[in-house]
Amino acid sequence: MSSTATRRRDRGRAGRRRAPWLFLAPAIVLFALFLAAPILYAVYLSFRTEKVSGLGLGSGSRTEVWNGLTNYANALADPEFLASVGRVAIYGLIVVPTMLGLALLFALLLDARRARARGFSRVSIFLPYAVPAVISSLLWGFLYLPGVSPFYYVFDQLGWDVPSMFSSNLVMFAVANIAVWGGVGFNMVVIYTSLKAIPSELYEAAELDGASQIGVAWRIKIPIVVPSIIMTFVFSMIATLQVFAEPTTLRPLSNTISSTWTPLMKVYRDAFTRGDLYSAAATSVIIALATFVLSFGFLRLVQSRAFGQEK
Amino acid sequence: MTSLTTTASAEAVTLPGRPQRTGRSTRGVGERPSGVATIILILGALYCLLPVVWVVIASTKSGSELFSTFTFAPSTHLVDNVTDLAAYRGGLFWRWMANTALYAGVGALLSTVVSAMAGYGLAKYRFPGKTAVFNVLLAGVLVPAVVLAIPQYLLLAQVGLTNTYWAVLLPSIISPYGIYLARIYAAAAVPDEVVEAARTDGASEGRTFAQVAVPMMAPGLVTVFLFQFVAIWNNFMLPYIMLGDDKLFPLTVGLSGLLNQGATQPALYTLVITGALLSIIPLVALFLVLQRYWQVDLAAGAVKS
């Protein structure tokens, strides 16, 4: 064997050892800079506070000091924060089951070939996915305004007196409706995709056994798409905890949405309106921990399912 | 009984009033359409189309007609409204549109490149620490944007990058979900034998990736691109926090601010509505053209096209 060939092979081996790290390098660097470092910094900030000496004027009168768990204790005892958590819990209880229930229903109907207008419905229901949350909030915001709303026009003609969607009783549903509108199509497509993957022999067997359409849906289709539903559930839950754009956009149209309506809005207000980064950091860490706890099953589920084809 | 019945006789023994379908192969030919199913689907479609239809009609109205005429009665002021919007503060709206295209287009492209490299590296090599690296990257999927927003702002402020294009662009490039999808796609679409063959032919690792693996992963990478494109286009919190200068705003932040001003100057409402219409047109068009890439299986991570 010539020495050139040996050298070349050796270089190939060394290259192969280094290669995965080179491929991963941009991702790892960006991850470290824009995900890991900010998280560590947020945790660090959450244990600090600003100490003001004297009147708080002039340089050196404000110093950053260690604060232990005080920020966390304050956040957890803060009635505004607790109220925002309560609101998001109710909001999630409305949004997630409604959105996923409708997504599953539409997916099953799209898969049942006895329904007509399936192509039209699939595109129409998925369409809101292409509309940013801010824009959809803005559109629905106008549809909720009695002056321009078609609903209020109809109710008016019928002589009904309907409370404003922005009244304190209904504003929750007003925001929830926007999230359902924006999310149902995407989740429908996810569930529909996994329905399409079911081999048709399964249905034929069930039909030979005399199962009804609803029976097939209930006993075969739904159990098979359960993993997809779990995934959409986890993603919807994470999105619910982070609700920010919709209520923030609706605020100018309504005085029933406070600046601390959701936990995220409170974090924003504390950090950027009040300039209290430390308690905002503590609140964000609490939200992050809650997300981790609530979606704990996610990683295990994903890992056991996804990588069977790889050695 | 069941083992003896044919598809036809299974139909015959169906209880009256109970819907029954025949075998999948014959469906759609001899089947009665179901009215209830169709009605439910159409109602769903109408619910989803309603705000879109509304914005199309509302953007044809002048400011005074908006509050005085029937909501679904179109008017003739669309061109005036677009002209007004274009003239608003020297064409600021077009800047927002261009900014959004820049953030979403460039951000999604870079994000796809980074995800494809990382996904390929994770799928096609065995190396110590691989599982740990993947788990850490994937955990990023679960990190709420809020936890990142403030410290990202503070860190970028220290290097003087807040209120610049970089502040929105750079954090958008890293996408744990994109890496996850790219890894699955590399594992499924690029056979080990092909990679081996390229190496035997003397191709370097980088060249094997760029010229052999990337074309095979292409359909999946289109999906990664689309996901990131929509995610960045829709992003509100990050630019809302990072940017102070409205010349750098994307559409979402710009229109939200305009709506905010509209609370005191209702004349701006017409601009907001026209802006909302114009802002959804590109994305709706993109989405309709690329529809076939939107078959998403989150549980298997796979994308079917």
Side-chain angles (χ1 to χ4, degrees), chain A residues 212-298:
Chain A
S212 69
Q213 283 251 43
I214 290 168
V216 170
W218 190 248
R219 291 204 209 92
I220 301 178
K221 294 185 176 184
I222 293 179
I224 289 182
V225 298
V226 159
S228 293
I229 297 174
I230 293 173
M231 291 293 286
T232 53
F233 180 80
V234 172
F235 277 104
S236 309
M237 212 164 55
I238 297 174
T240 296
L241 286 168
Q242 299 186 47
V243 58
F244 179 77
E246 294 92 342
T248 304
T249 311
L250 288 178
R251 279 197 70 208
L253 297 173
S254 145
N255 50 15
T256 46
I257 299 175
S258 64
S259 62
T260 59
W261 204 73
T262 72
L264 205 50
M265 291 170 77
K266 179 173 154 44
V267 171
Y268 179 86
R269 189 212 52 182
D270 288 351
F272 295 101
T273 313
R274 291 198 169 164
D276 186 357
L277 295 168
Y278 310 99
S279 66
T283 313
S284 352
V285 173
I286 293 171
I287 299 170
L289 288 175
T291 315
F292 268 109
V293 170
L294 284 174
S295 47
F296 184 71
F298 170 78

Side-chain angles (χ1 to χ4, degrees), chain A residues 172-241:
Chain A
M172 176 75 76
F173 293 96
V175 181
N177 174 56
I178 298 170
V180 170
W181 184 81
V184 72
F186 179 76
N187 292 304
M188 173 192 79
V189 166
V190 172
I191 298 169
Y192 180 60
T193 304
S194 64
L195 276 175
K196 298 278 274 186
I198 301 174
S200 59
E201 295 82 58
L202 265 179
Y203 299 122
E204 276 153 24
E207 277 151 10
L208 287 177
D209 285 349
S212 69
Q213 283 251 43
I214 290 168
V216 170
W218 190 248
R219 291 204 209 92
I220 301 178
K221 294 185 176 184
I222 293 179
I224 289 182
V225 298
V226 159
S228 293
I229 297 174
I230 293 173
M231 291 293 286
T232 53
F233 180 80
V234 172
F235 277 104
S236 309
M237 212 164 55
I238 297 174
T240 296
L241 286 168

Side-chain angles (χ1 to χ4, degrees), chain B residues 34-48:
Chain B
S34 160
V36 178
T38 309
I39 290 168
I40 296 173
L41 277 181
I42 301 251
L43 283 177
L46 292 180
Y47 164 65
C48 289

Side-chain angles (χ1 to χ4, degrees), chain A residues 140 143 150-151 181, chain B residues 45-56 72:
Chain A
W140 278 106
L143 288 171
F151 306 117
W181 184 81
Chain B
L46 292 180
Y47 164 65
C48 289
L49 288 178
L50 176 77
V52 180
V53 173
W54 178 84
V55 74
V56 172
F72 283 110

Side-chain angles (χ1 to χ4, degrees), chain A residues 34 114 177 207 264 303 310, chain B residues 21 31 47 135 146 152:
Chain A
F34 294 106
R114 296 178 68 226
N177 174 56
E207 277 151 10
L264 205 50
Q303 277 193 310
E310 228 180 274
Chain B
R21 69 173 173 189
E31 244 173 41
Y47 164 65
N135 283 346
V146 55
Q152 273 177 348

Side-chain angles (χ1 to χ4, degrees), chain B residues 34-102:
Chain B
S34 160
V36 178
T38 309
I39 290 168
I40 296 173
L41 277 181
I42 301 251
L43 283 177
L46 292 180
Y47 164 65
C48 289
L49 288 178
L50 176 77
V52 180
V53 173
W54 178 84
V55 74
V56 172
I57 294 170
S59 57
T60 66
K61 298 186 184 196
S62 69
S64 56
E65 284 169 339
L66 190 62
F67 290 94
S68 60
T69 59
F70 174 59
T71 331
F72 283 110
S75 185
T76 53
H77 296 277
L78 179 62
V79 176
D80 301 342
N81 289 340
V82 174
T83 315
D84 286 353
L85 181 64
Y88 175 71
R89 293 195 35 214
L92 189 61
F93 180 79
W94 304 120
R95 281 244 5 198
W96 294 343
M97 205 116 177
N99 292 340
T100 307
L102 176 85

